Amino acid sequence: MKIFFGILIPFLGTTLGAACVFFMNKTLSKSVQRALAGFAAGVMVAASIWSLLIPAIEQSENMGVFSFFPAFAGFWIGILFLLALDHLIPHLHVGSDQAEGPKSKLGRTTMMVLAVTLHNVPEGMAVGVMYAGLLAGNVQITAASALALSLGIAIQNFPEGAIISMPLRAEGESKGKAFLGGVLSGVVEPVGAVLTIIAAQLIIPALPYLLSFAAGAMLYVVVEELIPEMSQGSHSNVGTVFFAIGFSLMMVLDVALG
């Protein structure tokens, strides 16, 4: 039951963020969007290092000088996986008029939801692989460290939920549909977490690869999408400051609880 609630925590963060559309009448300013993108990027980078890559290397210590290999290989597979999704799924980022991926007749709102959904895929996998390690009795993964990752991702999902629901409202959608769009963008997280847990239980020796796979996928999102978003326009140092805040918060959570 604890694991069930653990994988739902990030989704709850997205849902609460999307609910901001019921209480806020204006769209988020460019500065606020940059700050939120920077914060999310900081959380994801710290989570990738402390919660995923370092445990992946520690779990491969028996390989001696090649203990880096599972982390290295999984990291690159994660990068290439997100690169493929980026090219195969049509999506439109908030604040952009240029759709990415293959040509599609999908509406703007649908493609905006798909863009945030792509961000959430590796986050769900990261939570899933942590709880898979916990179920497997992995000594490098504790209940507290898995909870720390869930909480960290939930915290950065809150502004992500608002980032998708508020622009959808500005596009002319009703508050209910804008909220639903934000919620749907986060559904992939618990689904991805459950599928990852199932996969890891079937192939426990692959756990270091799965941990680093999730890290690579998350860092792809950070470099490809979040860093450009937080650096747009003037006063881009706002995004940098919030990147540092997000990084510090996730680092404290992981070290204090893990």
Side-chain angles (χ1 to χ4, degrees), residues 170-231:
E171 290 280 329
E173 297 290 342
S174 67
K175 288 186 177 182
K177 286 186 176 181
F179 170 71
L180 181 61
V183 171
L184 288 177
S185 72
V187 168
V188 69
E189 291 195 7
V191 172
V194 170
L195 292 177
T196 305
I197 289 174
I198 294 172
Q201 290 301 302
L202 295 175
I203 44 174
I204 293 301
L207 198 57
Y209 294 89
L210 292 172
L211 284 166
S212 51
F213 175 93
M218 286 210 295
L219 290 176
Y220 176 91
V221 170
V222 170
V223 177
E224 171 70 12
E225 307 296 347
L226 296 179
I227 289 179
E229 287 177 18
M230 78 182 210
S231 303

Side-chain angles (χ1 to χ4, degrees), residues 218-253:
M218 286 210 295
L219 290 176
Y220 176 91
V221 170
V222 170
V223 177
E224 171 70 12
E225 307 296 347
L226 296 179
I227 289 179
E229 287 177 18
M230 78 182 210
S231 303
Q232 289 179 353
S234 60
H235 306 296
S236 59
N237 58 324
V238 171
T240 304
V241 170
F242 275 85
F243 174 94
I245 293 173
F247 186 95
S248 301
L249 176 61
M250 186 63 225
M251 178 177 63
V252 169
L253 276 175

Side-chain angles (χ1 to χ4, degrees), residues 47-59:
S48 297
I49 296 171
W50 272 276
S51 299
L52 301 171
L53 287 174
I54 291 177
I57 294 171
E58 289 176 344
Q59 289 176 36

Side-chain angles (χ1 to χ4, degrees), residues 107-121:
R108 282 179 56 86
T109 55
T110 301
M111 288 196 289
M112 287 169 68
V113 171
L114 285 174
V116 178
T117 301
L118 279 176
H119 289 193
N120 289 334
V121 168

Side-chain angles (χ1 to χ4, degrees), residues 139-151:
V139 295
Q140 277 86 21
I141 298 176
T142 64
S145 63
L147 178 61
L149 180 63
S150 290
L151 288 174

Side-chain angles (χ1 to χ4, degrees), residues 54-68 70 139-140 208:
I54 291 177
I57 294 171
E58 289 176 344
Q59 289 176 36
S60 307
E61 288 179 343
N62 62 323
M63 297 178 67
V65 70
F66 293 105
S67 60
F68 69 88
V139 295
Q140 277 86 21

Side-chain angles (χ1 to χ4, degrees), residues 62-194:
N62 62 323
M63 297 178 67
V65 70
F66 293 105
S67 60
F68 69 88
F69 181 77
F72 177 85
F75 174 84
W76 269 103
I77 295 171
I79 291 285
L80 295 175
F81 176 71
L82 258 291
L83 180 63
L85 288 185
D86 217 11
H87 283 84
L88 293 174
I89 298 177
H91 56 285
L92 178 67
H93 294 285
V94 175
S96 173
D97 293 321
Q98 184 66 45
E100 297 183 18
K103 291 184 178 180
S104 171
K105 294 183 180 179
L106 295 174
R108 282 179 56 86
T109 55
T110 301
M111 288 196 289
M112 287 169 68
V113 171
L114 285 174
V116 178
T117 301
L118 279 176
H119 289 193
N120 289 334
V121 168
E123 295 167 13
M125 295 180 65
V127 172
V129 77
M130 285 291 284
Y131 280 102
L134 181 62
L135 283 172
N138 193 295
V139 295
Q140 277 86 21
I141 298 176
T142 64
S145 63
L147 178 61
L149 180 63
S150 290
L151 288 174
I153 291 179
I155 290 169
Q156 69 99 7
N157 276 354
F158 181 87
E160 277 196 355
I163 283 176
I164 187 63
S165 65
M166 298 296 290
L168 287 177
R169 174 62 174 158
E171 290 280 329
E173 297 290 342
S174 67
K175 288 186 177 182
K177 286 186 176 181
F179 170 71
L180 181 61
V183 171
L184 288 177
S185 72
V187 168
V188 69
E189 291 195 7
V191 172
V194 170

